Amino acid sequence: MTTVAEKYLQIAKLAKDPANAEVVIDGILTFFGLDYFDLDLGVEYLYTTKVIDYKFRSVLHKAEDMDAIIAWFKEKAGVTDEEIAAAEAKEKEYVAGCLMLAKQYLGMGHCISGKTYLELAAAKGSEEAIAQLKDMEYAQDMYDLGEHYLAMGHCICSKTYFELAAAKGCPKAAAKLKDMEYAEDMYKLGEHYLGMGHCICGKTYFELAAAKGCPKAAAKLKDIEYAEDMYKLGEQYLAMGHKICSKTYFELAAAKGCPKAAAKLAEYEA
């Protein structure tokens, strides 16, 4: 349960920012058990019930002199400096605990739990937690853009966004970059073996790369499948004695990098 000193501390912190003037007045009215949609009516109630005098009534209506308002509230709430110091120490300990748990869960890759503890610390005014939450929001935006461009086949753009997200500590982005690096290595091995005429090995590496979301590898597999179909049709028509048709299919297969089809065409030239 929130103590009077803790409630005072919450309102005093809000009062540091002039933009929170209405929130501060509402918090004070709530402290006195008043729930007014129109804050001016609440101030008038305090005046008519002699909780405030005429001069301070004007101060609350204007809501400009936050120092005077908080000093008055401290007196009316009856909190001492010792109680405030104890509340501050308790809050500091709470924030430190939240930050520690957030670091622990984020380090384990549990982003939702980590974010929850950061939000709890930020609610207490922790600038460190607020900054980390901004970083997490930025990282999520960059990660989403990375996924978006990767789905469109723009690997360079997507990688850039994943790198920006990973730089802010996004574990999903870091994992994605590892996958992309692995996929690129597998794709290069596929190209290497395919260039040597080892189609089965080349295809295997392209499949490994495609499994990690590499669009080039996926496209290469389609080309290999297409080339294999064309090569088989070429063989079929050649067996039937239709050399012109078979040559056409071998040419289509060779155009997609099929070494067997290229070898067949060389026989035609011979």
Side-chain angles (χ1 to χ4, degrees):
M1 186 176 179
T2 305
T3 65
V4 174
E6 289 170 346
K7 185 63 180 176
Y8 164 80
L9 197 58
Q10 290 173 3
I11 294 174
K13 282 186 176 181
L14 288 169
K16 292 178 180 178
D17 185 351
N20 294 328
E22 287 190 5
V23 179
V24 170
I25 301 301
D26 184 52
I28 291 173
L29 292 175
T30 302
F31 178 81
F32 286 106
L34 304 176
D35 185 14
Y36 281 92
F37 179 74
D38 188 333
L39 298 183
D40 287 337
L41 290 176
V43 173
E44 286 303 309
Y45 179 84
L46 292 178
Y47 173 66
T48 56
T49 55
K50 302 188 184 303
V51 175
I52 57 175
D53 59 20
Y54 180 80
K55 288 183 179 180
F56 201 72
R57 170 196 182 200
S58 177
V59 172
L60 284 180
H61 274 308
K62 290 180 180 178
E64 294 175 353
D65 192 348
M66 286 291 110
D67 290 338
I69 291 172
I70 291 303
W72 170 84
F73 178 55
K74 178 184 176 183
E75 181 184 349
K76 286 295 180 181
V79 291
T80 65
D81 290 337
E82 291 76 13
E83 289 173 331
I84 294 170
E88 288 177 333
K90 182 180 177 182
E91 185 176 280
K92 187 176 180 180
E93 183 180 355
Y94 174 83
V95 168
C98 288
L99 290 174
M100 180 189 71
L101 287 168
K103 183 178 180 180
Q104 178 183 334
Y105 279 105
L106 289 173
M108 294 166 64
H110 303 316
C111 295
I112 296 176
S113 295
K115 186 180 179 182
T116 299
Y117 283 110
L118 286 176
E119 288 171 340
L120 290 171
K124 293 293 184 180
S126 169
E127 292 184 3
E128 182 181 347
I130 292 170
Q132 284 191 56
L133 285 170
K134 285 183 179 178
D135 283 348
M136 289 182 77
E137 183 179 359
Y138 172 83
Q140 185 61 47
D141 289 342
M142 295 301 101
Y143 179 82
D144 290 341
L145 283 169
E147 285 282 23
H148 172 71
Y149 281 104
L150 187 61
M152 294 168 66
H154 303 315
C155 294
I156 296 175
C157 286
S158 65
K159 186 180 179 184
T160 299
Y161 285 114
F162 288 139
E163 287 172 340
L164 290 171
K168 292 296 184 180
C170 177
K172 294 187 296 181
K176 209 75 177 180
L177 287 170
K178 284 185 180 179
D179 283 348
M180 291 181 79
E181 183 179 0
Y182 172 83
E184 185 62 29
D185 289 343
M186 294 303 101
Y187 179 81
K188 287 177 180 177
L189 283 171
E191 286 280 25
H192 172 72
Y193 280 102
L194 190 62
M196 293 170 65
H198 303 315
C199 296
I200 296 176
C201 287
K203 185 179 179 184
T204 299
Y205 284 114
F206 288 139
E207 287 172 339
L208 290 171
K212 292 296 184 179
C214 176
K216 294 187 297 181
K220 209 73 176 181
L221 287 170
K222 285 184 179 179
D223 285 348
I224 290 174
E225 183 180 0
Y226 173 83
E228 186 61 32
D229 289 342
M230 294 303 101
Y231 180 80
K232 287 178 180 177
L233 284 170
E235 286 281 22
Q236 179 184 336
Y237 279 100
L238 186 61
M240 294 167 63
H242 303 312
K243 291 187 177 181
I244 296 175
C245 286
S246 66
K247 184 181 179 184
T248 299
Y249 284 116
F250 288 139
E251 286 172 340
L252 290 171
K256 292 295 183 179
C258 177
K260 294 187 296 181
K264 281 288 186 185
L265 289 172
E267 291 178 10
Y268 277 89
E269 296 298 326

